[in-house]
């Protein structure tokens, strides 16, 4: 089986895999794939080639974890199809709070209140 580049990235970054919560949020998946691109980058190789080489090395050393590979393939496919659920409390998500007519994101609230949400008082 020759998984996609995103599936390889997710397989290599197996910390995102949680059997109790098999469908990660879109934002977390994107961040993990981006992190894999940085983590497994190699000098004089493209990102795709670096991921392919790291994946082949991991499989050669440890064998293929079929359950993890199936999850990574499903998640990568859902990422490509833009069908992963969005995290309602991600830093980029709009919060129920606004300031002077501008909706604030959870990231804005974190910066303004130092991770303490307003209690309405």
């Amino acid at each position: 089986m020759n998984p996609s580049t995103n599936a390889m990235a997710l397989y290599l970054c197996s910390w995102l895999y949680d059997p109790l919560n098999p469908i990660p949020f879109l934002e977390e998946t994107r961040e993990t794939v981006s992190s894999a691109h940085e983590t497994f980058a190699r000098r004089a190789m493209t990102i795709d080639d670096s991921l392919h080489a790291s994946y082949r090395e991991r499989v050669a050393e440890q064998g293929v974890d079929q359950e993890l590979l199936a999850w990574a393939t499903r998640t990568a496919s859902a990422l490509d199809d833009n069908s992963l659920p969005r995290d309602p409390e991600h830093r980029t998500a709009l919060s129920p709070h606004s300031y002077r007519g501008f909706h604030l994101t959870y990231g804005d609230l974190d910066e303004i209140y130092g991770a303490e949400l307003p209690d309405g008082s």
Side-chain angles (χ1 to χ4, degrees):
M1 177 178 213
N2 191 16
S4 70
T5 304
N6 284 343
M8 283 186 237
L10 292 167
Y11 184 90
L12 291 167
C13 296
S14 58
W15 60 81
L16 182 61
Y17 175 60
D18 179 3
L20 299 177
N21 184 19
I23 302 173
F25 288 123
L26 173 66
E27 297 84 357
E28 188 176 27
T29 304
R30 283 184 181 157
E31 290 167 4
T32 300
V33 168
S34 178
S35 174
H37 289 182
E38 295 172 14
T39 302
F40 296 99
R42 297 178 186 204
R43 190 179 306 248
M45 293 179 87
T46 66
I47 291 171
D48 288 358
D49 290 343
S50 297
L51 285 171
H52 281 270
S54 296
Y55 174 78
R56 283 191 305 269
E57 289 170 4
R58 172 86 51 91
V59 167
E61 290 172 8
Q62 302 174 0
V64 177
D65 180 337
Q66 292 296 333
E67 187 176 327
L68 177 60
L69 181 59
W71 168 83
T73 302
R74 277 192 317 273
T75 302
S77 178
L79 176 65
D80 294 340
D81 294 342
N82 204 23
S83 61
L84 289 172
R86 296 188 69 95
D87 182 353
E89 294 183 5
H90 189 265
R91 291 186 53 79
T92 59
L94 290 177
S95 75
H97 305 283
S98 64
Y99 177 74
R100 295 187 180 183
F102 294 101
H103 282 351
L104 300 174
T105 65
Y106 282 97
D108 294 332
L109 292 177
D110 188 33
E111 290 177 23
I112 293 169
Y113 296 103
E116 294 181 30
L117 296 178
D119 62 2
S121 57

